[in-house]
Amino acid sequence: MASEQVFSADVIVVSLDSGGAGALEAADLVQRGIAKRVAVFMDPPRGEDHEFIRRGLPYEDAGARQIRQLRSLGITNIVQIATIDGTESEGHALSAWCKEQRFDTIVFVVTSDHSRRAQRVLSRILKNTSIRIVVQPARYSSFDPERWWETRGGIRIAIIEMQKLILDLVLH
């Protein structure tokens, strides 16, 4: 698990995959005075979502759910970044958005199992920019980096994340 010293930032960005744990962590960071604004990624409809939309039912993506959760936690200064489809596209969208907004300091909230790879991807994408980013693992993540091997779910998550990290190492 990657963890760095959290500093005062222009914005707190919540990783799409961090779900409710990310919303809770971002709300706590706002309450601590780390930043006043929270940014959330949006995600495109997938699989069965298209059928719900075809049937006229409302589609609530993960980003919309995080926004609703943040608002219920008292966070009102929330912005949407872009629609993304994975960690790489999160990094590229974040880089472009930060340049457009002229943000220099970012706290990026992710789940604890995803923090090391997210840090690696973001560092690679942002290496030639002046953007300073700290990856903050959400304390409310269901993955426990100190005891992951004790549950079937923890083992599964660790194996999947290791595979993705190895693939990232091989490709880059």
Side-chain angles (χ1 to χ4, degrees), residues 10-11 37 95-106 130-131:
D10 296 321
V11 65
R37 181 180 308 178
S95 177
W97 183 75
C98 286
K99 289 174 190 170
E100 176 185 298
Q101 300 295 318
R102 295 191 173 128
F103 288 147
D104 297 318
T105 55
I106 312 300
S130 62
I131 301 167

Side-chain angles (χ1 to χ4, degrees), residues 5 9 11 23 25 41 45 51 54 60 66 89 93-94 97 100 103 105 118 125 127-128 142 156 161-162 171:
Q5 180 67 29
V11 65
E25 186 69 32
F41 291 99
E51 182 60 21
R54 189 189 72 74
E60 181 184 54
Q66 284 178 325
S89 69
L94 181 61
W97 183 75
E100 176 185 298
F103 288 147
T105 55
I125 292 170
K127 73 179 172 188
N128 294 323
S142 58
R156 183 183 59 75
E161 199 58 34
M162 259 188 270
L171 293 176

